Amino acid sequence: MEITTLIFTVIPSLALIIVAIQVIQLFSRRYRFIRLLESFPGPTPHWWFGNSDQTSGDFDSLLQSVKYANDYAGMFPVWAGPFDVMLLSVHPTTAKTILAGTDPKDEFSYALLGPWMGEGLLLQSGQKWERTRRLLTPAFHTEILKTYMKVFDSAIGEMMSKWKRANEPVEIFHHVSLMTMDSMLKSLFSHDSQCQKESSRHPYIQSVYDLSHLTQKRLSNPLHMYDFIYKFSEDGKKFKAACETIHSYSRRIIHERRLKMASEKQGERELDFLDILLLARDSDGEGLQDQEIQDEVDTFMFAGHDSTASSLSWCLYNLAAHPESQEACREEAKDILGSKEKFEWDDLRKMDMIWACIQESMRLYPAVTNVSRFTEREIALPDGRVVPKGIRVGVSLFALHRNPELWNDPDTYDPHRFLDGNETSGTLYMPFSVGPRNCIGKSFAQTQLKTAVANIVLKFKLETIPERPPKPESTLILRSKDGVYLNVTTL
C-alpha cells in the first residue's frame, strides 16, 4: 500500500517538475531572443500566435512585407508562436549579406519538410551538402540539357492538345503542373507516367498540393510545431499519408531503373539524372546510399516541377493580362522558328522578349517567396548592426522584387525593364536565389520556361476572365487559392 501511495505521489510530482523545467527553458529561450534582437525593431507580435497574421502567406501579408522594408530598416523579427523567431530581410543591403555565405538552410522551417524530402540537397548542410552538390552538378550540364528539348516539346504538345479540345475556361495551374511533372519524370528519370492523361488529379500531384497546404497551415499553429503533438492530429495523419504516397512513387521509379540498368548494355542510351544518382562516385569511390537516392528523387520531383509550374502559370496569366506583351512574344517566336517545325537549343538565346516577359513575371510572382538560413556565425550588416550566431534568418524575395526604392512602378508588369537592363542586378532580382546555395536546377527551369512560352503563344491566344481573378497565396510555392483560369483560343 505504501509503495502504491508513493508511486501515485512521486510520479505526478516528477512530471510537474519536468514540465516546469521545460516551461522555464522555453521562456529563457524567448528572453534570450528578445535580448539578442534588441537592435531589430519589428511589428508587435501576438502573445501566443506571434506574427502569424502578418506572415500567413496570403497576398495582403506578402504586400505588407514590402511596406515593412521601409518601416523597419530592411530587417525585422517575425515570431512563430511565443518561443521561436526569425529575422526577415526585405532589402538587398541585408539580403545580399545573408545569402553570400554557406550557412545551412533554416532547420526549423525546413525540418517540417524532412518527413517528405528526407535529407535531400535542399535540406542538407556542411560537407554533406558540398558532396551532394558536387555529385549532382554534372546532371545539369549544357550537353545534357540539350537532350531534354525533345522531352519538353512532347510534354508541352500533349498539354496543348488538351487545350485545343477545351470548350470552357482552362484552369492552367493544374494543367501546367501535370505537364512539368510529365517533363520531369521523362527527362530526369526516363519514366513515362502518363500523368497528363489522368481524368482526375494525379495522386502525386494531389499529395504535393496537400503537403504544401498542410506545411503552411502547420506554421500558423504553435502547438503543431511539436512533432509528438502534430503526429496525432488530423493534419499530422494526412501529412503522413501524403508522404507515403510520394515515397512509394519514388521507390517504384528507382526500382524500375535498377532493373533496367541490370538488363541493358552500357552506352545503350543517354544518361539522365537518375542514372547519375545511381552511378555517382566521389574521389574515394563512395556512391550514394539507397535512402540518399530516394531523398534526392523526392526533392527534385518537388523542386523541379512545382516551382516551374508556378513560374509558368503566372507568366501565362501576365501575358493574358497584357495582350501587347503576348503579341510581342508571338512575333518573336514566329521570327525565331521560321520554317522549322520545332525550336532548337540555339533558338533559346534569341528569345529576348520572351525571356524578358518570363523574368518580369518571376519578379512580381516569384515561385518561392522566401528563403531562409540558420546562422553559424555572426553576420555584420552594412548599417553596423550584427545578426547573432544561432538565429534563423529569412529573405523575402517577394519584398525585394517589389521594393519601390529599387524598382520604378514596382507593381506594374513591364518586361522592358529587363530588355533595357537599367533596373536589374543580382542584388535586386533573385528568383532562383543567389550565392553558393542558389538553385542547382536554374538552367533546367529556364530552358523549360522558354520552350513552353514560345510554343504556347504560337498556338494560342490567352485572355483573362475578369470575374475569376487569381488569388495569390504562398504555400511553399506561390499558387492561386482558387486556381488560375484563362480563356485559351486556338490561333
Side-chain angles (χ1 to χ4, degrees):
M1 190 68 177
E2 292 181 1
I3 295 177
T4 303
T5 302
L6 184 64
I7 290 175
F8 281 100
T9 302
V10 172
I11 291 181
S13 300
L14 288 175
L16 286 173
I17 291 172
I18 292 172
V19 170
I21 291 173
Q22 290 179 334
V23 170
I24 290 171
Q25 289 175 337
L26 287 172
F27 276 97
S28 175
R29 171 190 175 92
R30 174 181 172 83
Y31 291 124
R32 171 179 170 269
F33 284 146
I34 292 173
R35 186 177 68 255
L36 287 173
L37 303 179
E38 286 179 340
S39 59
F40 295 92
T44 303
H46 183 274
W47 72 272
W48 176 251
F49 293 105
N51 299 108
S52 59
D53 60 329
Q54 296 141 333
T55 57
S56 61
D58 62 28
F59 200 54
D60 288 340
S61 67
L62 290 171
L63 291 173
Q64 184 66 46
S65 68
V66 180
K67 181 178 181 294
Y68 286 156
N70 295 319
D71 292 348
Y72 300 113
M75 197 170 196
F76 57 90
V78 175
W79 286 87
F83 305 116
D84 286 291
V85 68
M86 167 190 283
L87 271 178
L88 185 64
S89 169
V90 286
H91 196 279
T93 55
T94 52
K96 183 181 179 182
T97 306
I98 295 299
L99 296 176
T102 57
D103 294 294
K105 295 291 181 78
D106 158 31
E107 293 183 0
F108 178 85
S109 298
Y110 287 97
L112 302 184
L113 304 178
W116 174 3
M117 302 180 195
E119 294 185 15
L121 185 66
L122 180 68
L123 308 183
Q124 291 174 2
S125 60
Q127 291 184 347
K128 185 171 184 178
W129 169 80
E130 292 176 2
R131 172 180 179 260
T132 304
R133 178 99 181 192
R134 184 174 63 254
L135 291 175
L136 298 188
T137 295
F140 299 96
H141 189 276
T142 298
E143 293 304 313
I144 292 181
L145 290 177
K146 288 181 181 180
T147 67
Y148 296 157
M149 287 284 288
K150 59 181 180 293
V151 175
F152 295 157
D153 279 332
S154 173
I156 294 164
E158 189 165 343
M159 178 182 71
M160 293 193 301
S161 68
K162 293 192 293 185
W163 290 2
K164 290 178 182 178
R165 300 190 298 269
N167 297 316
E168 57 186 7
V170 174
E171 199 292 280
I172 63 166
F173 208 115
H174 178 55
H175 284 249
V176 169
S177 292
L178 288 174
M179 184 275 291
T180 56
M181 179 184 175
D182 191 21
S183 296
M184 187 80 178
L185 288 166
K186 287 177 179 176
S187 58
L188 298 192
F189 306 112
S190 300
H191 177 75
D192 187 0
S193 67
Q194 301 289 310
C195 63
Q196 292 201 71
K197 292 182 172 61
E198 294 283 337
S199 57
S200 58
R201 180 166 286 178
H202 190 278
Y204 181 89
I205 294 283
Q206 183 61 55
S207 294
V208 169
Y209 272 77
D210 291 345
L211 291 174
S212 298
H213 171 72
L214 290 168
T215 300
Q216 187 69 31
K217 186 178 178 182
R218 185 179 181 183
L219 287 169
S220 65
N221 188 335
L223 286 177
H224 282 179
M225 292 298 99
Y226 302 98
D227 288 337
F228 69 91
I229 294 177
Y230 187 67
K231 70 179 181 180
F232 291 112
S233 69
E234 192 64 30
D235 284 352
K237 293 174 183 176
K238 291 178 181 177
F239 190 93
K240 181 180 179 182
C243 284
E244 289 174 352
T245 297
I246 283 177
H247 293 162
S248 64
Y249 200 75
S250 58
R251 281 194 296 268
R252 180 160 62 88
I253 291 172
I254 295 169
H255 176 68
E256 289 174 356
R257 176 55 53 83
R258 287 195 183 280
L259 293 177
K260 185 174 184 179
M261 292 177 70
S263 63
E264 65 185 0
K265 296 179 181 179
Q266 188 173 1
E268 189 174 321
R269 58 181 175 78
E270 295 173 333
L271 296 181
D272 61 19
F273 177 77
L274 184 52
D275 291 317
I276 291 173
L277 281 179
L278 292 166
L279 298 173
R281 298 291 184 273
D282 52 27
S283 57
D284 62 3
E286 188 72 23
L288 296 170
Q289 301 298 314
D290 285 355
Q291 187 59 53
E292 290 178 306
I293 293 170
Q294 181 181 321
D295 291 346
E296 298 305 337
V297 169
D298 290 333
T299 296
F300 280 89
M301 284 276 283
F302 166 70
H305 100 271
D306 218 24
S307 57
T308 305
S310 173
S311 296
L312 180 55
S313 297
W314 288 115
C315 181
L316 296 179
Y317 165 73
N318 280 307
L319 290 177
H322 301 87
E324 70 287 352
S325 294
Q326 183 182 161
E327 184 59 31
C329 288
R330 185 173 294 117
E331 290 303 314
E332 182 178 73
K334 288 179 181 178
D335 291 342
I336 293 172
L337 186 62
S339 60
K340 301 192 300 291
E341 292 186 3
K342 294 182 178 181
F343 292 102
E344 299 172 353
W345 176 261
D346 290 339
D347 291 333
L348 301 180
R349 291 179 294 180
K350 304 172 187 176
M351 296 181 181
D352 297 329
M353 185 63 189
I354 290 172
W355 182 230
C357 287
I358 294 170
Q359 288 180 292
E360 176 68 345
S361 184
M362 289 192 296
R363 181 186 71 82
L364 286 171
Y365 300 95
V368 178
T369 58
N370 295 286
V371 295
S372 56
R373 302 285 187 266
F374 183 80
T375 58
E376 293 184 321
R377 58 195 164 81
E378 290 187 345
I379 301 176
L381 298 178
D383 61 10
R385 292 180 296 175
V386 175
V387 177
K389 175 183 177 181
I391 287 287
R392 298 190 299 117
V393 291
V395 174
S396 172
L397 306 186
F398 185 93
L400 290 178
H401 291 177
R402 291 181 181 244
N403 191 315
E405 292 183 16
L406 310 172
W407 303 89
N408 295 321
D409 298 321
D411 295 325
T412 299
Y413 182 82
D414 179 13
H416 288 90
R417 69 176 91 234
F418 285 92
L419 289 173
D420 300 335
N422 296 328
E423 293 184 80
T424 59
S425 75
T427 60
L428 308 181
Y429 179 73
M430 51 183 81
F432 296 98
S433 190
V434 294
R437 296 197 69 125
N438 69 337
C439 176
I440 192 174
K442 176 180 177 180
S443 296
F444 180 93
Q446 291 176 347
T447 301
Q448 188 171 19
L449 287 168
K450 289 181 180 180
T451 305
V453 171
N455 277 286
I456 290 169
V457 296
L458 273 178
K459 302 290 178 63
F460 297 97
K461 178 181 180 181
L462 309 172
E463 296 175 298
T464 60
I465 304 173
E467 61 272 21
R468 299 188 79 169
K471 300 175 182 178
E473 64 171 355
S474 180
T475 58
L476 297 188
I477 66 158
L478 191 65
R479 305 179 185 276
S480 173
K481 187 175 183 180
D482 299 316
V484 179
Y485 286 86
L486 297 178
N487 283 320
V488 180
T489 307
T490 305
L491 294 173

